[in-house]
């Protein structure tokens, strides 16, 4: 509570100091400071991003953005994009119209733009036989795809193929529930333990997520904001990863990744590494590195043409020094082929290469 009051006072002082500037610039400063408050009060990984080692750099950068807004050297939207981009967290970002999105991309952490390297990069869900011993499931999204995943898992089991390739290139995430049918196929290591998850428990975040008191109780979270600690356990460290049985098939499995695999897509890779000894990760590039934070509400300044998404939870990998962000997950086996020309609903050269490698 004391920290919240101090931040609020600092904001009021900063806004008051801008009283001599025109109303339009003062409004821009107010909105910028509000977004700074969202980062400093609600963003789960703030304490890991701004440390004793770089706090002076952070404060100086923030002051330079304020100065630029006052001097009209940059728009407040540009200042917001630069500020959010400084954190290098793909779960903490700015979006809006094409102009806003393009502006933010200048400051965001860089990623491989496959749509520029290939003639066609538009992955489609697929479930089909590659050869007599290999089945392919292409799974480019975890967003509302659990039913399709269940269907494709059944198709694979009915195929009788001993080898399975799950191609998740382009999978930017969604919900962890979506890939559970695949984990039931791959799981072969009982009672392995997962990393914990902490939530930055602020009233603003809970309100933006529309979490009711009943839902908070279901999640085991406090309902009394006034007396709750700033960080609350969402998932216990060492929680057991377990299914009731181990599937006979596949005998060998591969997951193909690229630099667009993020969030729940990366969590699928982490879970497979943890709970499946028969699965190897293939790829030419690391995954994106966007999985150590999550559970993202939105902040929308009134009539300002942009939206801020920020994560309210973080993995205990941050505290253990074993985080995935920002470098991403390194494949077990590097694919040495060039990028395919077309990656849609086709069986491309990479799939054929991995199928042959599984046979060996």
């Amino acid at each position: 509570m004391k920290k919240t009051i101090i931040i609020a006072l600092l904001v009021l002082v900063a806004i008051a100091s801008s009283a001599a500037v025109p109303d339009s610039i003062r409004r821009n400063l107010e909105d910028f400071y509000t977004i700074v408050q969202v980062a400093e009060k609600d963003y789960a990984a703030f304490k890991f991003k701004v440390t004793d080692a770089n706090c002076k750099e952070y404060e100086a950068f923030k002051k330079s953005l304020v100065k630029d807004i006052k001097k009209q050297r940059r728009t407040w939207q540009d200042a917001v994009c630069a500020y959010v981009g400084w954190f290098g967290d793909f779960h903490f970002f700015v979006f809006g119209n094409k102009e806003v999105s393009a502006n933010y991309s200048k400051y965001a952490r860089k990623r491989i733009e496959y749509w520029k390297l290939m003639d066609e990069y538009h992955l489609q869900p697929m479930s089909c036989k590659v050869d007599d011993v290999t089945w392919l499931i292409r799974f480019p999204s975890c967003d509302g795809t659990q039913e399709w995943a269940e269907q494709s898992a059944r198709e694979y089991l009915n195929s009788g193929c001993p080898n399975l390739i799950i191609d998740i290139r382009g999978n930017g995430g969604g919900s962890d529930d979506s890939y559970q049918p695949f984990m039931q196929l791959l799981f072969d290591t009982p009672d392995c333990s997962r990393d914990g998850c902490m939530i930055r428990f602020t009233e603003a975040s809970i309100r933006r997520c529309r979490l009711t008191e009943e839902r908070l109780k279901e999640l085991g979270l406090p309902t009394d904001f006034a007396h709750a600690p700033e960080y609350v356990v969402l998932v216990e460290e060492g929680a057991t990863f377990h299914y009731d049985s181990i599937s006979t098939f596949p005998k060998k499995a591969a997951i193909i990744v690229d630099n667009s695999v993020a969030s729940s897509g990366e969590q699928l890779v982490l879970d497979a590494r943890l709970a499946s000894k028969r699965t190897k990760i293939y790829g030419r590039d690391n995954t994106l590195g966007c999985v150590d934070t999550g559970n993202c509400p939105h902040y929308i300044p009134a009539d300002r043409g942009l939206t801020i998404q920020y994560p309210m939870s973080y993995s205990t990998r941050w505290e253990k020094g074993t985080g995935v962000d920002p470098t991403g997950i390194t494949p077990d086996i590097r694919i040495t082929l060039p990028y395919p020309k077309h990656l849609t609903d086709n069986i491309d050269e990479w799939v054929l290469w991995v199928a042959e490698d599984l046979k060996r």
Side-chain angles (χ1 to χ4, degrees):
M1 178 64 73
K2 185 182 293 183
K3 183 177 179 182
T4 300
I5 293 172
I6 291 172
I7 292 173
L9 288 173
L10 289 174
V11 171
L12 289 173
V13 170
I15 293 172
S17 68
S18 65
V21 302
D23 289 345
S24 60
I25 296 178
R26 187 162 58 250
R27 167 78 188 279
N28 292 342
L29 288 169
E30 289 172 357
D31 281 337
F32 177 77
Y33 283 123
T34 301
I35 288 167
V36 170
Q37 283 189 83
V38 170
E40 296 181 352
K41 290 173 56 182
D42 303 313
Y43 173 38
F46 183 83
K47 65 178 181 178
F48 301 109
K49 295 289 186 175
V50 179
T51 63
D52 291 342
N54 70 352
C55 62
K56 289 184 180 179
E57 172 199 334
Y58 168 75
E59 292 297 336
F61 178 62
K62 192 167 59 174
K63 288 178 182 178
S64 73
L65 294 175
V66 170
K67 187 175 181 180
D68 285 350
I69 294 172
K70 287 182 178 179
K71 298 288 186 181
Q72 300 187 63
R73 289 196 290 254
R74 66 167 86 214
T75 66
W76 87 279
Q77 291 95 335
D78 184 76
V80 167
C81 290
Y83 174 76
V84 174
W86 184 89
F87 292 91
D89 183 346
F90 277 118
H91 272 140
F92 185 23
F93 68 92
V94 182
F95 62 96
N97 58 31
K98 287 184 178 180
E99 183 179 351
V100 169
S101 298
N103 201 31
Y104 175 66
S105 67
K106 295 187 304 185
Y107 303 105
R109 179 157 53 92
K110 302 307 176 188
R111 60 195 303 173
I112 298 174
E113 298 177 322
Y114 293 110
W115 50 92
K116 294 181 180 179
L117 299 173
M118 303 180 192
D119 293 340
E120 197 172 14
Y121 181 78
H122 187 60
L123 292 100
Q124 302 296 316
M126 289 178 64
S127 178
C128 66
K129 182 177 281 191
V130 176
D131 56 38
D132 290 341
V133 296
T134 311
W135 190 266
L136 168 67
I137 296 175
R138 181 163 287 156
F139 188 62
S141 173
C142 290
D143 189 5
T145 50
Q146 184 171 0
E147 186 175 340
W148 186 89
E150 291 171 352
Q151 175 187 331
S152 61
R154 287 193 298 269
E155 290 172 352
Y156 163 67
L157 290 174
N158 291 333
S159 76
C161 293
N163 295 343
L164 173 63
I165 298 173
I166 302 177
D167 183 355
I168 62 169
R169 284 174 287 179
N171 191 320
S175 168
D176 291 1
D177 291 339
S178 293
Y179 65 75
Q180 293 309 313
F182 302 141
M183 283 309 305
Q184 289 181 295
L185 292 175
L186 303 176
F187 171 75
D188 60 19
T189 309
D191 302 323
C192 51
S193 59
R194 306 177 73 176
D195 299 305
C197 182
M198 303 293 292
I199 189 167
R200 192 169 188 183
F201 196 76
T202 69
E203 186 171 2
S205 293
I206 298 302
R207 184 176 66 252
R208 289 167 190 151
C209 283
R210 297 185 177 88
L211 292 174
T212 63
E213 184 172 324
E214 181 180 351
R215 182 59 178 150
L216 290 172
K217 290 178 181 178
E218 289 175 2
L219 294 170
L221 297 174
T223 56
D224 182 357
F225 296 100
H227 298 94
E230 184 177 5
Y231 291 91
V232 177
V233 175
L234 184 61
V235 178
E236 291 283 352
E237 179 75 14
T240 302
F241 193 110
H242 185 75
Y243 290 99
D244 292 336
S245 62
I246 296 175
S247 176
T248 304
F249 288 103
K251 299 296 185 183
K252 295 180 182 179
I255 297 176
I256 305 178
V257 301
D258 67 7
N259 189 241
S260 292
V261 173
S263 196
S264 290
E266 287 177 293
Q267 191 61 52
L268 165 56
V269 177
L270 293 175
D271 287 351
R273 270 198 172 160
L274 181 68
S276 179
K277 293 178 180 177
R278 53 184 154 174
T279 303
K280 295 293 183 185
I281 313 304
Y282 288 77
R284 175 170 168 161
D285 309 306
N286 286 12
T287 60
L288 185 59
C290 177
V291 68
D292 290 336
T293 56
N295 297 297
C296 303
H298 292 163
Y299 170 70
I300 307 173
D303 303 321
R304 300 298 269 169
L306 57 75
T307 298
I308 306 297
Q309 174 184 288
Y310 67 93
M312 60 188 291
S313 68
Y314 70 86
S315 167
T316 54
R317 289 187 294 271
W318 279 107
E319 296 166 341
K320 295 181 290 186
T322 58
V324 171
D325 302 354
T327 56
I329 302 167
T330 302
D332 299 316
I333 300 171
R334 291 285 186 185
I335 295 175
T336 56
L337 300 177
Y339 296 121
K341 292 287 187 183
H342 302 277
L343 195 53
T344 55
D345 57 355
N346 58 320
I347 297 176
D348 68 294
E349 302 92 321
W350 285 23
V351 168
L352 296 174
W353 190 91
V354 172
E356 289 301 314
D357 197 67
L358 286 178
K359 293 175 188 176
R360 292 191 292 270

